[in-house]
């Protein structure tokens, strides 16, 4: 430990979670080494710059690098606390791949010393922290590992998932409550003392397996509830009802809170994490599995509906509003809006225009389709059909007068005042589609 009793920290993985986490720990006064396999990422951070987009992260990283509190390298070095924040993707069968977590553990093991704390933050299937512990135990038989000794262990190992919203990461890393799951209660206590240095939210201790499951459950809960809203929207299209009106009225019930339908579920958490539960308990998860199917199916429903609308108006120019996976962010990963717009562009070519104020150009899959990027003013002046795919504020505030004569397919429900005559016509087309 350093003189002020602040631990030196090594954060493995400098992505959307690892880099903001490293910066916040550094801001709390700890000396932090960020480790990433990418030399380009390491060089960028050592220049005080960042390689990802996140509100206020650039200024924070610049400051802590300038003060000598954060530096980056491609190799792990000795520290007092190790935080692992590497990706846990899944394969085509939806089986979780924890190889990056185990590789990070293998890199950390040789530099561990008695008193060190190892914390896994990556979203992980239940049992991963124990696997990490077993790997460290095998690599370092000289260290007494928690759960492998009756004596006081030399090191502590815990699981602590992040639960932050892209676009609000710095705020939520600091203020959200945290679940801290120790391999043993002592491990949880040690990890808790570390998080108390930079987390203002309540930190609740538990065991590692419960903490792993908690993270998966949070996102599966949201997926299932969004699936209910999306299923309702398809029922409403089929019956010629306005789903937004139905949800608005149903939500007046004191114990009903239906979420918002959309073109499907995007991002890298809610559409992924439920599969980790399904994979761990395939017989026990018909609801979670079905919800995934409903939300993925909604994307194809939107594509089919939009295609029928566009095909029915061969002279109309079409604007797809939005590519991001949700409102007011520039994150296009796993975005249903992007998939819908690209599919329409492949079929209808230059009739399709895309408005995305958060993108400097269209993604690769639009190349050669003939589709072009335009701004919202041009779309409102030149396009006859508007397909709302993302509820960016810049679209939400378009006044009725500027869209009253358009044919609108609003997958996000941002324009409840769209006039009945036009809505009726669009609705008719939508009905034809279902
Ligand atoms: N969506 C809807 N209807 C809704 C709400 C969301 O269609 O009513 C869609 C969004 O448009 C988007 C997707 O769902 O495509 C997910 O968006 P989100 O804002 O609900 O969640 P994420 O993926 O940005 O972040 C989630 C958060 N988890 C929960 O809210 C339970 C966040 O707290 C987690 O940290 C993050 O996943 C993660 O890392 O797991």
């Amino acid at each position: 430990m350093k003189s002020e009793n602040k631990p030196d920290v090594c954060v493995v993985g400098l992505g959307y979670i690892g880099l903001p986490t490293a910066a916040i720990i550094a801001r709390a006064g700890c000396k932090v080494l960020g480790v990433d396999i990418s030399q380009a990422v390491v060089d960028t951070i050592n220049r005080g710059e960042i390689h990802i987009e996140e509100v206020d992260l650039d200024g924070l990283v610049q400051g802590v690098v300038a003060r000598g509190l954060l530096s980056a390298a491609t190799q792990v070095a000795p520290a007092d606390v190790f935080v692992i924040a590497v990706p846990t993707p899944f394969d085509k069968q939806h089986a979780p791949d924890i190889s990056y977590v185990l590789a990070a553990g293998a890199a950390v093991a040789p530099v561990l010393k008695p008193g060190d704390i190892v914390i896994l933050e990556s979203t992980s299937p239940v049992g991963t922290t124990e696997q990490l512990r077993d790997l460290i135990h095998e690599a370092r038989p000289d260290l007494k590992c928690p759960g492998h000794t009756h004596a006081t262990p030399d090191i502590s190992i815990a699981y602590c998932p992040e639960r932050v919203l892209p676009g609000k990461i710095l705020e939520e890393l600091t203020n959200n409550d945290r679940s801290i799951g120790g391999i043993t209660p002592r491990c949880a206590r040690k990890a808790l003392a570390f998080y108390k240095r930079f987390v203002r939210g309540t930190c609740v201790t538990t065991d590692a397996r419960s903490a792993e499951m908690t993270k998966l459950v949070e996102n599966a809960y949201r997926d299932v509830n969004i699936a209910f809203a999306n299923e309702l929207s398809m029922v409403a299209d089929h019956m010629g009802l306005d789903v937004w009106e139905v949800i608005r009225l149903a939500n007046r019930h004191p114990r009903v809170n239906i979420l918002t339908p959309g073109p499907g579920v995007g991002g890298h958490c809610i559409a992924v994490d439920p599969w980790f539960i399904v994979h761990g308990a395939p017989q026990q998860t018909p609801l979670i599995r079905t919800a995934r199917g409903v939300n993925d199916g909604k994307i194809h429903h939107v594509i089919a509906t939009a295609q029928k609308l566009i095909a029915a108006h061969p002279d109309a120019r079409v604007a797809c509003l939005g590519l991001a996976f949700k409102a007011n962010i520039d994150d296009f990963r796993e975005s249903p809006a992007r998939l819908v717009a690209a599919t329409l562009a492949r079929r209808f070519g230059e009739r399709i225009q895309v408005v995305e104020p958060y993108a400097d150009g269209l993604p690769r899959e639009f190349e050669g389709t003939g589709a072009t990027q335009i701004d919202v003013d041009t779309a409102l002046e030149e396009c006859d059909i508007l397909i709302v795919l993302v509820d960016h504020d810049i679209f939400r505030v378009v006044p009725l007068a500027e869209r009253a004569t358009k044919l609108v397919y609003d997958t996000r429900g941002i324009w409840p005042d769209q006039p009945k005559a036009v809505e009726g016509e669009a609705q008719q087309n939508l009905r034809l589609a279902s």
Side-chain angles (χ1 to χ4, degrees):
M1 296 267 174
K2 298 191 340 183
S3 50
E4 322 90 308
N5 206 22
K6 286 190 172 145
D8 285 350
V9 181
C10 180
V11 177
V12 185
L14 294 174
Y16 276 84
I17 299 304
L19 180 57
T21 302
I24 277 186
I25 300 170
R27 185 174 64 187
C30 298
K31 199 148 194 290
V32 180
L33 176 72
V35 177
D36 202 283
I37 49 170
S38 161
Q39 186 67 51
V41 167
V42 165
D43 293 342
T44 304
I45 291 161
N46 282 333
R47 284 197 304 272
E49 295 166 9
I50 59 174
H51 63 291
I52 53 174
E53 289 289 335
E54 179 57 39
V55 178
D56 296 337
L57 183 62
D58 47 357
L60 177 60
V61 168
Q62 192 186 33
V64 288
V65 169
R67 286 161 62 202
L69 289 169
L70 174 65
S71 63
T74 56
Q75 299 295 323
V76 169
D80 306 306
V81 181
F82 296 85
V83 176
I84 299 174
V86 295
T88 44
F90 59 13
D91 65 17
K92 286 207 170 62
Q93 280 74 48
H94 302 116
D97 170 5
I98 61 163
S99 59
Y100 297 107
V101 172
L102 298 179
V108 165
V111 301
L112 288 176
K113 62 182 184 312
D116 285 357
I117 307 171
V118 180
I119 298 160
L120 177 61
E121 285 212 2
S122 311
T123 302
S124 299
V126 174
T128 305
T129 312
E130 289 167 349
Q131 285 193 53
L132 179 66
R133 182 270 318 270
D134 293 343
L135 179 147
I136 292 171
H137 175 63
E138 270 175 39
R140 292 293 303 274
D142 56 312
L143 289 175
K144 290 197 272 306
C145 254
H148 280 292
T149 176
H150 292 298
T152 303
D154 285 327
I155 56 170
S156 302
I157 302 175
Y159 179 74
C160 180
E162 54 71 27
R163 36 161 71 138
V164 295
L165 213 57
K168 288 175 79 178
I169 292 183
L170 292 182
E171 183 196 321
E172 293 213 350
L173 270 183
T174 313
N175 295 319
N176 285 4
D177 295 351
R178 303 288 293 241
S179 311
I180 301 176
I183 289 281
T184 64
R186 183 175 179 275
C187 293
R189 179 171 66 78
K190 294 280 183 185
L192 172 73
F194 170 63
Y195 279 97
K196 282 281 187 196
R197 293 178 178 277
F198 57 94
V199 171
R200 268 190 235 127
T202 306
C203 296
V204 183
T205 55
T206 180
D207 61 281
R209 293 171 73 89
S210 297
E212 288 163 342
M213 188 60 170
T214 302
K215 165 74 187 191
L216 305 180
V217 163
E218 289 165 5
N219 284 336
Y221 170 86
R222 204 147 161 86
D223 198 44
V224 168
N225 281 282
I226 297 169
F228 183 73
N230 278 335
E231 183 161 299
L232 283 186
S233 72
M234 292 185 276
V235 171
D237 279 359
H238 182 70
M239 294 183 173
L241 288 163
D242 178 348
V243 72
W244 314 103
E245 177 74 352
V246 173
I247 291 176
R248 195 174 62 81
L249 294 172
N251 280 350
R252 296 188 74 86
H253 186 290
R255 286 171 297 283
V256 173
N257 184 15
I258 302 169
L259 295 182
T260 316
V265 171
H268 16 279
C269 309
I270 294 183
V272 176
D273 298 359
W275 287 118
F276 288 20
I277 305 179
V278 172
H279 191 260
Q283 301 304 320
Q284 290 74 22
T285 44
L287 176 66
I288 297 174
R289 185 196 298 265
T290 301
R292 274 284 69 244
V294 169
N295 284 332
D296 282 346
K298 181 67 195 286
I299 304 177
H300 300 289
H301 173 84
V302 169
I303 291 171
T305 307
Q307 282 181 339
K308 291 210 172 166
L309 180 62
I310 297 166
H313 297 84
D315 298 326
R317 289 188 74 200
V318 183
C320 291
L321 304 189
L323 291 179
F325 89 82
K326 63 179 188 177
N328 305 323
I329 61 170
D330 64 350
D331 192 335
F332 308 106
R333 293 176 297 169
E334 318 298 330
S335 168
R338 179 174 166 176
L339 183 63
V340 172
T343 307
L344 297 177
R346 272 197 300 279
R347 167 141 178 218
F348 296 104
E350 59 196 20
R351 287 182 63 199
I352 303 293
Q353 328 291 316
V354 179
V355 184
E356 180 44 89
Y358 289 89
D360 290 333
L362 292 180
R364 266 196 319 273
E365 64 267 29
F366 287 86
E367 269 169 33
T369 61
T372 47
Q373 188 178 11
I374 57 173
D375 61 21
V376 71
D377 289 323
T378 313
L380 292 169
E381 276 157 32
E382 297 181 0
C383 294
D384 317 289
I385 295 179
L386 305 179
I387 302 183
V388 180
L389 297 173
V390 185
D391 43 344
H392 288 320
D393 288 345
I394 191 170
F395 302 146
R396 205 180 272 279
V397 298
V398 172
L400 177 59
E402 291 192 73
R403 53 183 159 79
T405 59
K406 310 289 184 190
L407 271 174
V408 173
Y409 178 25
D410 180 1
T411 71
R412 297 277 185 177
I414 61 170
W415 293 332
D417 58 354
Q418 194 67 26
K420 287 286 170 252
V422 175
E423 195 178 88
E425 193 184 346
Q427 203 63 41
Q428 220 174 10
N429 284 305
L430 303 186
R431 250 177 252 148
L432 285 175
S434 39

